[in-house]
């Protein structure tokens, strides 16, 4: 291992996930030495709470690391090795509308799936391109590790518009699920050897083995048939009752295709009627997060600032942070770790659009990733994925061309939307709500 120490920029410094990523970096300094951490956000006030608290924490726990928080792109992106991005364009106020507007018409209202995910995508693309361009301007050799959602649409946009950029799009849901699988089986998550195929928030495990090659699927299926992925787990993420409900519902999602194990997000596509019935249109997930995680994280930050110390503070780490730090380490030190990434298909799934962004296992090393081929999709997965990837591609084309028609088609094609009529009603409301965030549509 070299003596190199790395500089990390966290874009979306005011995110509820920023303290967790910083704590995770501090936990791994032996394997991934860090010399500088810089937070960047375009909301100075929001970020300053997290920034001031993290400044105190770092001064106490790792004074050798240079720490800054800034809204100035030149300061944030000069001399950086890794940009860890988790921005939310429009923040929770717009998430609330993404969830509520479709619900008005009896359609799933979700952050990344269905019309809400499309609306969020139309806001995110510009923000992500801006950060990517800053990175390339000020630190052309850096990697951007992007968590910002909706990852599928963001990934398709960067594939088309910045094909040579060093950006890797990731999602923590499969890892979070694999921690559950490991708990169900009574083994360590790093002992799981998996095959997985799909799009982001739209995929299936096709194999789960241990490192000796033993098939763990039968034991997992026995459990999932009864309980989904709902299991008592020592984690701070995905713990709210609504997440438990999502993990329990996997039981029914699994029953539709018992040859595979599903991503929990498939409930929005395969059981949209159930989801709508079980969502309070006046108190959606955005409210739960604002009353839960956001209050906790910003409350903890305020507490640190008032006391002037981060000793015994309430900031917590979770699998979300573990994943992005593992990925940075794999790129920096050529660990050849196998991780799920969202990457251009290019034949890795034989019978699927080579130009689609798919989520599959990859081997990560110094020069990026190598994809692990996944063979052919069964008809059920193929049909679903072709429909969904077309939604994502049409949304990106609509953003690029400013096309109302294509965005209407994207909504119409979403499996969560019952008709072109309903798609249009939702779209017209979304356009009104997203003024100033979306390109103008003609
Ligand atoms: P948050 O609202 O707490 O934080 C997002 C921050 O981004 C805010 O401080 C906001 O001011 C900032 N921001 C918005 N637009 C910006 C821009 N153009 N430039 C710089 N900063 C900007 O949100 P959160 O709940 O902490 O989530 C953050 C992001 O991470 C979201 O996109 C969320 O969907 C995503 N996320 C992804 C995964 C995954 O699996 N890929 C998992 C968890 C969260
Ligand atoms: C999972 C998904 C993320 C998503 C998050 C939402 O971790 O992989 O993509 O952003 O859940 O969680 P929240 O608690 O904000 O509803
Ligand atoms: Mn995700």
């Amino acid at each position: 291992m070299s003596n190199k120490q790395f500089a990390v920029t966290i874009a979306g410094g005011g995110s509820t996930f920023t303290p967790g990523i910083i704590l995770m970096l501090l936990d791994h300094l032996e394997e991934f030495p860090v010399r500088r951490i810089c937070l960047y956000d375009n909301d100075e006030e929001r970020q300053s709470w997290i920034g001031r608290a993290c400044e105190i924490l770092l001064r106490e726990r790792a004074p050798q690391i240079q720490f800054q928080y800034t809204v100035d792109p030149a300061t944030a992106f000069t001399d950086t090795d890794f940009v860890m991005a988790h921005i939310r364009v429009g923040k929770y106020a717009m998430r609330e509308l993404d969830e509520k507007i479709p619900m008005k018409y009896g359609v799933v209202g979700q952050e990344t799936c269905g019309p809400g995910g499309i609306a969020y995508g139309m806001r995110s693309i510009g923000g992500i391109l801006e950060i990517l361009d800053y990175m390339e301007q000020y630190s052309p050799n850096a990697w951007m590790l992007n968590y910002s959602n909706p990852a599928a649409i963001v990934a398709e946009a960067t594939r088309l518009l910045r094909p040579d950029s060093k950006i890797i799009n990731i999602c923590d849901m499969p890892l979070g699920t694999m921690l559950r699988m490991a708990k169900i089986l009574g083994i360590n998550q790093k002992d799981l050897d998996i095959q997985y195929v799909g799009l982001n928030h739209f995929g299936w495990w096709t194999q789960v083995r241990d490192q000796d090659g033993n098939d763990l699927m039968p034991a997992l299926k026995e459990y999932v048939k009864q309980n989904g992925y709902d299991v008592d787990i020592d984690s701070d993420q995905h713990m709210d009752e609504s997440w438990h409900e999502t993990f329990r519902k996997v039981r029914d999602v699994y029953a539709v295709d018992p040859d595979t194990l599903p991503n929990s997000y498939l409930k929005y596509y395969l059981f949209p009627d159930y989801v709508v019935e079980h969502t309070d249109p006046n108190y959606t997930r955005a409210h739960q997060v604002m009353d839960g995680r956001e209050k906790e994280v910003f409350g903890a930050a305020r507490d640190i600032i008032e006391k002037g110390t981060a000793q015994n503070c309430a900031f917590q780490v979770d699998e979300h942070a573990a994943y992005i730090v593992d990925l940075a380490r794999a790129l920096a030190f050529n660990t050849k770790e196998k991780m799920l990434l969202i990457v251009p298909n290019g034949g890795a799934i034989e019978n699927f659009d080579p130009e689609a962004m798919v989520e599959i296992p990859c081997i990560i090393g110094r020069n990026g990733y190598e994809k692990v081929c996944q063979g052919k999709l069964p008809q059920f997965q193929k049909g679903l994925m072709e429909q969904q990837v077309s939604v994502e591609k049409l949304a990106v084309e609509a953003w690029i061309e400013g096309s109302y028609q294509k965005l209407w088609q994207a909504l119409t094609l979403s499996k969560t939307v019952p008709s072109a009529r309903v798609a249009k009603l939702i779209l017209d409301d979304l356009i009104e709500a997203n003024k100033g965030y979306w390109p103008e549509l003609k």
Side-chain angles (χ1 to χ4, degrees), residues 124-327:
S124 287
I125 295 171
I128 293 297
L129 294 179
E130 184 177 77
I131 286 171
L132 193 52
D133 291 347
Y134 287 144
M135 180 184 89
E136 295 189 338
Q137 179 183 352
Y138 295 110
S139 290
N141 296 321
W143 280 100
M144 177 157 152
L145 313 181
N146 181 52
Y147 257 140
S148 314
N149 267 320
I153 289 176
V154 167
E156 170 62 9
T158 53
R159 181 190 74 81
L160 268 179
L161 298 171
R162 299 291 185 277
D164 301 321
S165 291
K166 288 173 77 177
I167 177 171
I168 297 183
N169 294 286
I170 52 174
C171 170
D172 62 15
M173 196 73 252
L175 173 67
T177 307
M178 277 158 25
L179 288 167
R180 291 169 178 276
M181 291 178 177
K183 181 75 199 274
I184 292 165
L185 296 163
I187 62 174
N188 191 305
Q189 175 262 323
K190 295 261 179 199
D191 292 334
L192 296 177
D193 187 15
I194 60 109
Q195 299 296 346
Y196 181 97
V197 70
L199 311 169
N200 179 236
H201 290 184
F202 204 96
W204 296 263
W205 281 267
T206 54
Q207 265 187 40
V208 183
R209 297 184 182 275
D210 63 18
Q211 297 294 344
D212 296 325
N214 297 307
D215 187 0
L216 304 174
M217 282 286 249
L220 279 173
K221 287 178 179 178
E222 271 313 303
Y223 186 92
V224 171
K225 217 190 293 180
Q226 306 293 332
N227 314 289
Y229 300 133
D230 198 26
V231 62
D232 240 351
I233 195 167
D234 185 22
S235 156
D236 298 309
Q237 208 185 339
H238 308 135
M239 291 305 280
D240 290 349
E241 176 46 35
S242 55
W243 274 109
H244 277 286
E245 189 279 326
T246 290
F247 291 126
R248 280 196 298 275
K249 188 67 185 168
V250 166
R251 191 175 57 174
D252 297 336
V253 180
Y254 162 74
V256 183
D257 179 29
D259 288 341
T260 58
L261 287 168
N263 188 301
S264 55
Y265 273 92
L266 286 160
K267 85 166 181 183
Y268 296 107
Y269 301 95
L270 302 185
F271 294 94
D273 45 355
Y274 165 90
V275 169
V276 170
E277 270 166 40
H278 289 80
T279 306
D280 178 349
N282 299 312
Y283 195 81
T284 59
R285 179 68 192 152
H287 292 275
Q288 296 174 19
V289 173
M290 288 186 277
D291 289 342
R293 186 173 70 240
E294 189 183 39
K295 284 216 167 87
E296 282 156 25
V297 171
F298 282 80
R302 191 170 301 117
D303 205 39
I304 293 171
I305 296 164
E306 277 168 15
K307 290 189 181 137
T309 174
Q311 272 169 28
N312 305 317
C313 76
F315 282 164
Q316 290 168 335
V317 281
D318 50 42
E319 61 258 32
H320 179 83
Y323 194 78
I324 201 161
V325 174
D326 277 353
L327 177 57

Side-chain angles (χ1 to χ4, degrees), residues 11-17 40-43 46 86-92 95 111 120 127 130-131 146-149 151 170-173 201 237 289 293 298 320:
S15 158
T16 55
F17 292 102
Y40 168 76
D41 206 289
N42 64 0
D43 180 337
R46 183 178 176 90
H86 53 198
I87 64 168
R88 184 186 289 285
V89 179
K91 293 176 272 193
Y92 294 127
R95 176 177 182 172
E111 177 196 28
Y120 187 11
E130 184 177 77
I131 286 171
N146 181 52
Y147 257 140
S148 314
N149 267 320
I170 52 174
C171 170
D172 62 15
M173 196 73 252
H201 290 184
Q237 208 185 339
V289 173
R293 186 173 70 240
F298 282 80
H320 179 83

Side-chain angles (χ1 to χ4, degrees), residues 9-51:
T9 300
I10 301 182
S15 158
T16 55
F17 292 102
T18 295
I21 290 182
I22 291 183
L23 285 178
M24 190 55 82
L25 286 168
L26 295 190
D27 271 359
H28 288 82
L29 289 177
E30 295 265 306
E31 308 100 78
F32 184 70
V34 175
R35 64 181 164 86
R36 173 173 183 247
I37 297 175
C38 184
L39 309 188
Y40 168 76
D41 206 289
N42 64 0
D43 180 337
E44 188 161 20
E45 219 271 324
R46 183 178 176 90
Q47 176 174 255
S48 78
W49 288 100
I50 304 292

